[in-house]
Structures are given as C-alpha cells and as structure tokens.
Amino acid sequence: MNEELQTKQKLLESAKADFLEHGFKNASLRRICKNAGVTTGALYFFFKGKEDIFEAVISEPLAMFEKMFERLVNTEFTDAKAFDKTEEEMMRFLLRYRSEVMIILDKSEGTKYEGFKAAYLQTLENVFTRFFKKYLPAPDPQLIHVVTAMRFYGYLEILYGGHGEDEAVELAKTVGIYADAGFAGLIKAMTGVHNG
Amino acid sequence: MNEELQTKQKLLESAKADFLEHGFKNASLRRICKNAGVTTGALYFFFKGKEDIFEAVISEPLAMFEKMFERLVNTEFTDAKAFDKTEEEMMRFLLRYRSEVMIILDKSEGTKYEGFKAAYLQTLENVFTRFFKKYLPAPDPQLIHVVTAMRFYGYLEILYGGHGEDEAVELAKTVGIYADAGFAGLIKAMTGVHNG
Amino acid sequence: MNEELQTKQKLLESAKADFLEHGFKNASLRRICKNAGVTTGALYFFFKGKEDIFEAVISEPLAMFEKMFERLVNTEFTDAKAFDKTEEEMMRFLLRYRSEVMIILDKSEGTKYEGFKAAYLQTLENVFTRFFKKYLPAPDPQLIHVVTAMRFYGYLEILYGGHGEDEAVELAKTVGIYADAGFAGLIKAMTGVHNG
Amino acid sequence: MNEELQTKQKLLESAKADFLEHGFKNASLRRICKNAGVTTGALYFFFKGKEDIFEAVISEPLAMFEKMFERLVNTEFTDAKAFDKTEEEMMRFLLRYRSEVMIILDKSEGTKYEGFKAAYLQTLENVFTRFFKKYLPAPDPQLIHVVTAMRFYGYLEILYGGHGEDEAVELAKTVGIYADAGFAGLIKAMTGVHNG
DNA sequence: AATGAATGAGGGTTCATTCAT
DNA sequence: TATGAATGAACCCTCATTCAT
C-alpha cells in the first residue's frame, strides 16, 4: 500500500521538478520516469499522458488560485489598506505552493494554462483601474497596465526569492508602501498638471 | 554577391522570428530554413549550428547592450535625475532592438545567454544599492532586489507593449515618477520608524 | 460461483465485440477488460493470453462448423436439390452464430485461424468440382474456383445483411435459383461449343 | 540521381508490400524502412507520414479507378453485352494494378479510403438496379444487393487468382455468362410465380 | 554557395503480459 | 478470484546535424 502511493507520489514529484526546470514542452516523460525509478509504462498507469500528469501536478493549487482570483474580481477595494489584507492572504498562499505557482505562471506553455498569467494580470489590472478611477477622472490605461505589471512582478520576485513565509509577507508589505507612495506621487503629478 | 547576403540575411530574419516565437529550444531549424526559402544545408554553410545562428541573431545588439551595461556600472548617479537621462537612452536602444532584446532576455533558455537577464538585474541592483545607501545607512538588500526587479519589469512591459518610441519614453518617465515617489515613501517610512 | 461465471462470460462477450469490431490484431485487451468491468489480471486468470481468449470466443461455433464441414466433404450430392437442403441447414447455423462466424472468417488475421476461410472455400470448391464433373468431362478448375467463391460470398453477404432467419433462408434459396440457372447456362454454353 | 530515385522507389515498394501484407494499421514504418535499407528519418524526407506514403502508393491507380467509377455511374447499359464491354476494360485495369487495388479495397482500414469498397459496391448496385428494373417491376433490393456482391467478389477472386491478363478477361467473360443465365433464371422464376 | 538525401537519437504513447497480494 | 502496479518493446514522428555533390 505504501509502495503504490510512493510510485505515484514519486512520479508527481519528479514531474514537478522536470516541469519546473524545463517547462511543459521540454519536459521529458522518459526523464521523469527515470528519476522516479520506474519505466514509462508505469506513468501511463496513473496518468493519461503528459498533459494529464501536468494537471495532476498543479490541480490543487490551481483550484485555490482560481478561488482567490474570483474573490479578487468581486471585491470592492475602498482604499489601499483593504487591498493589503487580501494581498497578505494571497502571498501566504503563493508561498505554500511556490513550485506549482511558478509552473502555472511561467512553465505552462503548450498547455491550456499558458494564458493563465495574462488572464491574472488582466484581472489585477481591472482591480487597479477601478481603484485609480477614484482619484483620477481618466487615468492612462497604458500606465495602469505597466504599474500593475510592476506590482505583479514584485510579488513574483518575492516568491522566487526563497524567503520564509513571514519574511515574504513583510517584504510584500514594504513593497505595498513603495507602491502606495508611488501611486500618490503619480496622482499629485497629474492633478498638479491639470490644476496648474 | 547580392544573393549571398540575401540568403544569409533571410536566414537571420527567419531565425529571429522563430526564436522570438518559440524560444531557442523549441525553435526549429527546418522551419527557419523553410521560411527563408532555403534548405538546411544552406544554414550550415553560413552557421555552425543552432547556437551559432542564435548568436548571430543577437550579437550586434548584445555588444551594444554590454557597452551600456558597463557604462551603467561605472557611472556614479548623484541623484534620480542623473539616472533618468541614462534611462531614456537605454529605452531608445531597447526599442530599436526590441526583438533581439526580447530574445536575449526571455527566449534564450538552453543557450549560454540564459543567465543574461539575471546578470543584468544584478547590475541594476548594484546601481540601486549605491543609490539607496546615500539615504539609508543599511538598506534591506532583499527590498532593493525586489524594487529593482519591479522597475526592470516595468521597462520590459513598456517594451512588450508595442508603443512608438516617444510614447514609450514618455511612459518610462512617468514610471520614473512612480518609482521615485515610491522610493521617497520608503525612505520616509524607514527613517520615520527609526526616528519615532 | 455465479459471479465467477459472470466475469468470464462478461469477458467473453466484451472480447467478442472487440474482435468483431477491430479484428484480432487491433483488438485491445485493455479495452476488453474495461468494457467487461474488470482488470487485466482477471482476464489472465481465465485465459492464457490474447490468442487464448480468441479461441474461447470462437471454439464452440468452430467445433460445430467443422462438423458441418466434414459432412459437406463426405456427402455425395446427386443433384442441386440435395445441396439446397444442406444449404438451408448451414445458413441457419451461420445465422445463429453470426458474430463468431464473422470473426472466424474475416477477423482472425494474426491467429492460427486466419487460413480458415480459404480452407472452407477449398472444401466447398471440391464439392462443386464433384458436382460439375457429372455434367462436364473436364471443367475448368479456375472457373469452378470463381463460381464457388461467388456463391460463398453470396452467403456471407446475406449473413452480414442483418436479416431475420427465415428471411435469410428465403434469400439464400433465391440465390440458389440464380446459381443453379447460372450453372445450367454454363453447361449449355460449354457443351454447345463442344457439340457444335 | 539514380540513387535518389532508388531510395524513394524502394520505400514505395517496401511500403506497398507491407500494406498489402499487414494492412494500413498494422503496417510498420520501421519495418518498411528496414526492408528498404534506410532509417526512419529517410522516409520522412520523402513523405509526410504513414498516411502520406499510403496515398503515394495508391494515388495513381486510385485516380484511374475513380475515373472508371464515374463512367460506370453515368453510362446507361441497354443490355448485358453493353455491360460486358465496360467489364473487360475494368478487368484489364484492375489486373495492371493488382496490388494497389487489393490495398485500396481490403487493406485500407484506418485511412480515409476505408469506405471505398462499400462505395464502389453501392455504385455497382445502383447500376444493377437500373438494369433489373427493365425486366421486373419491383425487384427485391436485398436480392439485388446480394447478386451485385456476388459478381463483385467474382471479379475480386479472379484478380486475386494470379492469372495472366487475357486469361483473366476470358474468365470474367465466362462469369458473365454464368451471371446472365442466373439473372434470366431469376426473371423466369419470378414472373412465373406471378403468372401462375 | 547551396542542394537534397540520410542518419540516429529522442519525443509521447499503446500494448500484451507478468506478478505480488 | 481478481486487483492493480509495473515492465519493456514497439508504435509514429521530429529533430539537429552531416555530407557527397
């Protein structure tokens, strides 16, 4: 019984490592099996194919990710602090599933998840747009796009940094200060232009 | 003679497009040759192999990049404005070689240039560290790392955005405002913490 | 005990369907087991392998077939009507074991039964040759071969037609009229040539 | 130059033999290449894949076959003799491309030609139906179907018999006598039934 | 300067079969 | 009785690369 689970588990771990290192397209099932200590046929007992084992690797974090996704869309952020709370929760989640998140976002080319990163960025951008519009009548969409991306990649950098959970959350909060101040600076510069 | 150049040029352009679309590993020499209208043999007359044509595609912009690189390292930025000038120059360069820059930074996995992005980020980080140290006695290296990355990915996002040159420069400047204000906010929060 | 029989029976039925649809070589034991609701191990408990379950599927009808076979060889047909009686009996048997007969005749490539159809045709040909020789001193063997095949494939077409038993027998009798008249026409043409 | 053609030709011949022996699905590209004395990659220089080399094997005869096909549909056969002429032409064609015809009719499962035999039989059946209707007000479609199949398989048997061309044509003509007499016998029996 | 033929390794996948339990 | 895990060979196909011409 232990052995059964072990093989599947070994395959999943070997696959996770291979997807993370090479990406979906360049991952090799032969290599995955070899590192798991089994033959190719064994993989096909547990999984339907390459895409199936990929999904098995990311399915659990993905489901949670999508739940967070939805909440992000449906929440009305009244101020920066309301956002910060959601942010912390998200950060903690991302850290717990670091590898899988990296795979979904950066190593999923060739799967149906390859558009996930862009979709998430777009969602974040919509949130930021709603927020910007509270302070500016007609904010530049391109600017919002870039600022959103910066914040997103800030998270990602923290994620990739190999920090402990609390450390990472702290870092994210400091980044929040940076971003909020940056945002305020933008408002000031722009309304200043309009006013003066 | 014209034909010679044409063939080589066609191959380089076809290769550039293929590397950009698929990345080094998943680029196909067959496809490159087909789109260039020649056979594989022709490619091997001009180039030693896949890595060689890759280098040929990026060599010229790469050399310029590295020159800028070096200057960035050796320049002492006295204030934010001094940096902004270099920034504009850089932005214009990046835009002129958009495709090649994208290839070097994001599509070079499997070549010896796959570490280039990280190296450049590190250099930028050193610059920022020197700058930070003028205002803070012991800035958090992790924080600098993240903030550097954010700014870098901000540039990249502008680059990927398909803007015209002036538009992009303008956008970069606005991002500069955001970043400077963010930086100032950080200083304030940190020295404030120390003081209070 | 009931369950034992059920499993074996289910496997045999699933196998029959798969052999009929895909032929021996392209039948899949995996698929057979899946459709029977059991695992591969179960199949290997009851049968030695692919060829063995194939034989199990066809063994019973095959034995009866061979009995009829033998009788056909040893019967002296004095006239066409004597043959017709045997024919009806045969037709009813073939219809009762339609699937298995189809499998033996047309879906057995790769097994030791792949020559069965030819052997049966040869036997039928011998019967027809004996019959022809009553009316012609030296009938053309090639012609007999073809005429035999035609009649045989006539039966097969009826078999594959999905008719009810009585309907099929009636059709076979009409085909008998066609064949007998055709035979008579041949005799006439040939002896006419000889005589005139 | 000779060698180039030789390899492609060898591959086509090796493929023809393999398709004929094992059918499309069970043919092996590895085996085809091995028998042609080249490696698998060589095949893919000349052909796009398994289906492509299959089409290359049968394309020429297939085009002619389809032309004959069409003519068969559009010709109005006034009597049995008018049909016999077409028949001879067809027989000569089929003999010239014996292997390919066998492959198209009996070894094409898994390709887009797998329905060709049934389609051809249907066409032949339509021709026969038109002919029957000249002599019978309401001929039994099932009977026509069987009689058509018999004649068709008669041709096939001649084809598979390995006869020389003239011999085969002669045989086909004799089969024609058999079939015509059989047909006449049917008419007589049926109208007799009605009358008496 | 360039063609076109050919190699051989590796890609994902399916298969009949085995065996400990 | 039957399960479910695992094997290893074969499947079609794509690839970067080589080389005679």
Side-chain angles (χ1 to χ4, degrees), chain A residues 132-148:
Chain A
F132 261 68
K133 283 192 171 159
K134 294 199 172 138
Y135 300 88
L136 285 175
D140 179 6
Q142 312 290 3
L143 179 63
I144 298 182
H145 178 80
V146 173
V147 169
T148 306

Side-chain angles (χ1 to χ4, degrees), chain B:
Chain B
M1 257 202 254
N2 255 0
E3 285 183 20
E4 299 169 23
L5 277 178
Q6 266 176 0
T7 296
K8 190 171 182 180
Q9 209 52 38
K10 271 184 193 166
L11 275 168
L12 282 169
E13 271 158 38
S14 178
K16 181 158 72 178
D18 218 78
F19 286 135
L20 190 56
E21 189 178 349
H22 302 98
F24 175 76
K25 263 190 187 166
N26 292 110
S28 159
L29 294 189
R30 266 197 193 8
R31 198 169 43 214
I32 288 170
C33 290
K34 201 173 142 200
N35 290 337
V38 297
T39 57
T40 56
L43 190 149
Y44 277 87
F45 175 76
F46 291 106
F47 309 99
K48 274 188 236 158
K50 198 182 191 180
E51 184 119 18
D52 191 45
I53 194 175
F54 181 85
E55 292 193 23
V57 165
I58 59 160
S59 64
E60 199 188 326
L62 185 70
M64 299 172 77
F65 209 131
E66 284 182 327
K67 220 175 276 174
M68 279 186 28
F69 216 72
E70 219 176 318
R71 199 158 36 125
L72 197 62
V73 176
N74 297 325
T75 306
E76 207 55 40
F77 295 104
T78 51
D79 57 13
K81 280 183 189 152
F83 180 79
D84 288 354
K85 209 186 153 183
T86 305
E87 181 188 47
E88 176 172 346
E89 209 179 327
M90 230 169 61
M91 201 69 218
R92 291 197 186 276
F93 161 77
L94 294 177
L95 284 161
R96 189 149 23 247
Y97 295 99
R98 205 194 304 248
S99 304
E100 291 88 344
V101 170
M102 289 182 187
I103 291 173
I104 293 170
L105 294 178
D106 276 341
K107 305 290 184 177
S108 60
E109 210 187 294
T111 74
K112 59 179 169 180
Y113 302 101
E114 67 182 5
F116 191 92
K117 189 184 192 170
Y120 180 65
L121 256 169
Q122 184 57 52
T123 300
L124 210 57
E125 193 176 324
N126 294 341
V127 171
F128 275 40
T129 301
R130 290 206 306 268
F131 186 67
F132 261 69
K133 283 193 172 160
K134 295 196 172 143
Y135 300 87
L136 285 175
D140 178 6
Q142 311 292 3
L143 180 62
I144 298 181
H145 176 81
V146 174
V147 169
T148 306
M150 287 174 76
R151 186 132 190 196
F152 173 72
Y153 283 108
Y155 294 146
L156 232 58
E157 208 59 30
I158 296 172
L159 192 64
Y160 280 55
H163 307 284
E165 204 176 313
D166 289 339
E167 199 182 51
V169 169
E170 199 56 41
L171 209 43
K173 276 185 185 163
T174 315
V175 166
I177 296 171
Y178 173 85
D180 291 344
F183 169 69
L186 276 182
I187 301 287
K188 198 169 156 192
M190 284 171 169
T191 53
V193 166
H194 276 255
N195 289 353

Side-chain angles (χ1 to χ4, degrees), chain C residues 126-179:
Chain C
N126 294 342
V127 171
F128 274 41
T129 301
R130 290 208 305 270
F131 187 66
F132 261 69
K133 282 193 172 158
K134 294 198 171 140
Y135 300 87
L136 285 174
D140 178 7
Q142 313 290 4
L143 179 62
I144 298 181
H145 178 81
V146 173
V147 169
T148 305
M150 287 175 75
R151 185 133 190 194
F152 173 72
Y153 283 108
Y155 295 146
L156 232 58
E157 207 59 30
I158 296 172
L159 193 64
Y160 280 56
H163 307 286
E165 204 176 313
D166 289 339
E167 200 183 50
V169 169
E170 199 56 39
L171 208 43
K173 276 185 184 162
T174 315
V175 166
I177 294 171
Y178 173 85

Side-chain angles (χ1 to χ4, degrees), chain A residues 4 7 38-39 41-42 45-46:
Chain A
E4 299 168 22
T7 297
V38 296
T39 57
F45 176 76
F46 294 103

Side-chain angles (χ1 to χ4, degrees), chain A residues 166-184:
Chain A
D166 288 339
E167 199 183 49
V169 169
E170 200 55 42
L171 209 42
K173 277 185 184 162
T174 315
V175 166
I177 296 171
Y178 172 84
D180 291 343
F183 168 68

Side-chain angles (χ1 to χ4, degrees), chain D residues 144-165:
Chain D
I144 298 181
H145 177 80
V146 174
V147 169
T148 305
M150 287 175 75
R151 185 129 191 198
F152 173 73
Y153 283 107
Y155 295 145
L156 234 58
E157 207 58 31
I158 296 172
L159 192 65
Y160 281 54
H163 307 285
E165 203 175 313

